[in-house]
């Protein structure tokens, strides 16, 4: 079974002697690739510019009583490293409270947030869970992708990585590894929610330590799921075979 099938749940799965149909849905790979380059004029930036870009975003968000948190490489910036965009997360429920729209659809809340940045004079766009903002800095502009999700602080921790220097793996590889572990245990991993019940989508846990203990080993902690390398190490003797299985799938991509 290929990674895309594992993550999307689009292929039938043998369980307790019978086959049960799974609902089709957007795969984790697709979710992690949301956005791309949205603004043609936006250019890559050095990580030492991240504090200034974040300040520009949060100067607008402060009016909503919320704050965007950096995720991915932006959460652990490395001066001298370049990124094409800055990924951030903002809490959906905080925005619902501010807009007094507790019963509104999530998409409507994201639309309202986009309007806030429009009124502040920024160029914006919207795809999936994200509101995209083009941030001017000096003579250039840079792209920020703000994911609007429930329990934003917990989600931001899931998207914070601890990737060793020189690693061939990116944050997306870590997410795929966690999703595969969850699949192997009859559960499902959501990059924005944590571990959920495969049948009902009910949240099991979004706590990093509990995710690690559930998917890796009873002795694991959140530090053990910060990168592909740490996951493989924490799996002990099962680690090399697990990594080999991931690498055997043609959809698995690593840095050269």
């Amino acid at each position: 079974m290929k990674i895309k099938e594992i993550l999307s749940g689009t292929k039938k799965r043998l369980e307790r002697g019978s086959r049960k149909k799974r609902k089709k849905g957007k795969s984790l790979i697709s979710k992690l690739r949301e956005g791309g380059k949205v603004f043609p004029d936006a250019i890559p930036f050095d990580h030492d510019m991240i504090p200034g870009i974040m300040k520009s975003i949060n100067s607008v968000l402060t009016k909503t009583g919320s704050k965007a948190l950096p995720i991915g490489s932006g959460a652990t910036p490395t001066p001298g490293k370049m990124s094409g965009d800055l990924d951030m997360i903002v809490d959906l429920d905080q925005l619902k409270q501010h807009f007094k729209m507790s019963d509104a659809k999530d998409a409507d809340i994201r639309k309202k947030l986009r309007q806030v940045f429009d009124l502040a004079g920024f160029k914006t766009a919207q795809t999936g869970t994200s509101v995209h903002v083009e941030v001017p800095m000096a003579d250039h502009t840079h792209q920020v992708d703000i994911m609007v999700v429930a329990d934003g602080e917990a989600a931001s921790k899931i998207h914070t990585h601890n990737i060793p220097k020189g690693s061939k793996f990116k944050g997306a590889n870590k997410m795929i590894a966690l999703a595969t572990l969850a699949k192997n245990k009859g559960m499902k991993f959501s990059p924005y929610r944590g571990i959920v019940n495969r049948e009902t989508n009910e949240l099991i846990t979004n706590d990093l330590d509990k995710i690690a203990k559930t998917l890796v080993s009873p002795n694991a902690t959140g530090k053990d799921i910060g990168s592909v390398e740490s996951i493989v190490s924490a799996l002990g003797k099962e680690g090399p075979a697990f990594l080999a299985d991931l690498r055997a799938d043609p959809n698995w991509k690593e840095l050269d």
Side-chain angles (χ1 to χ4, degrees):
M1 189 177 289
K2 295 182 179 181
I3 284 175
K4 285 185 178 178
E5 293 163 352
I6 289 174
L7 301 181
S8 65
T10 56
K11 195 166 185 175
K12 293 181 180 178
R13 176 176 175 265
L14 185 63
E15 181 177 334
R16 295 183 181 178
S18 64
R19 288 185 177 271
K20 298 182 179 180
K21 290 184 179 181
R22 306 297 183 211
K23 293 181 180 180
K24 291 187 178 181
K26 184 181 286 186
S27 73
L28 176 54
I29 291 175
S30 298
K31 290 179 180 178
L32 293 172
R33 289 175 178 171
E34 270 184 7
K37 186 167 184 179
V38 176
F39 306 108
D41 295 333
I43 65 172
F45 52 86
D46 190 294
H47 279 202
D48 63 6
M49 296 182 66
I50 288 178
I53 298 173
M54 287 174 51
K55 183 177 179 181
S56 183
I57 291 294
N58 281 318
S59 67
V60 176
L61 278 172
T62 189
K63 301 170 186 176
T64 69
S66 60
K67 180 180 180 180
L69 303 171
I71 60 174
S73 62
T76 54
T78 303
K81 183 177 180 179
M82 302 295 291
S83 286
D85 53 49
L86 176 62
D87 293 325
M88 305 185 79
I89 276 181
V90 68
D91 189 88
L92 177 69
D93 294 323
Q94 288 181 353
L95 293 176
K96 283 186 175 183
Q97 183 177 358
H98 169 77
F99 294 129
K100 295 181 172 58
M101 298 172 63
S102 59
D103 297 327
K105 294 180 180 179
D106 295 354
D108 292 336
I109 299 299
R110 295 177 184 118
K111 184 177 180 180
K112 289 287 290 186
L113 179 62
R114 179 183 180 183
Q115 290 172 351
V116 169
F117 278 96
D118 286 339
L119 291 172
F122 291 84
K123 290 183 180 178
T124 66
Q126 188 177 341
T127 61
T129 63
S130 296
V131 173
H132 310 281
V133 182
E134 187 174 23
V135 177
M137 297 285 289
D139 297 329
H140 306 290
T141 64
H142 308 291
Q143 180 174 319
V144 177
D145 302 329
I146 307 173
M147 284 175 274
V148 185
V149 297
D151 204 348
E153 185 173 355
S156 71
K157 292 178 181 178
I158 294 173
H159 281 266
T160 299
H161 317 305
N162 186 20
I163 300 174
K165 185 176 181 180
S167 174
K168 292 184 177 181
F169 309 111
K170 301 179 68 175
N173 295 106
K174 183 195 86 169
M175 295 297 193
I176 293 169
L178 291 174
T180 304
L181 287 171
K183 177 72 174 182
N184 291 344
K185 292 179 178 289
M187 295 174 280
K188 189 164 60 173
F189 176 77
S190 164
Y192 306 117
R193 298 182 62 204
I195 304 174
V196 299
N197 183 292
R198 180 162 287 275
E199 303 294 339
T200 66
N201 276 328
E202 182 180 357
L203 178 66
I204 296 173
T205 182
N206 59 10
D207 178 270
L208 279 187
D209 287 336
K210 291 180 181 178
I211 291 173
K213 293 180 189 303
T214 302
L215 298 185
V216 180
S217 81
N219 298 320
T221 68
K223 293 181 180 179
D224 294 312
I225 56 173
S227 66
V228 171
E229 287 87 350
S230 61
I231 291 171
V232 170
S233 176
L235 286 171
K237 63 181 181 180
E238 298 176 1
F242 174 69
L243 180 58
D245 286 344
L246 292 175
R247 283 174 158 164
D249 192 290
N251 295 303
W252 177 264
K253 303 296 182 183
E254 299 179 11
L255 298 173
D256 296 330

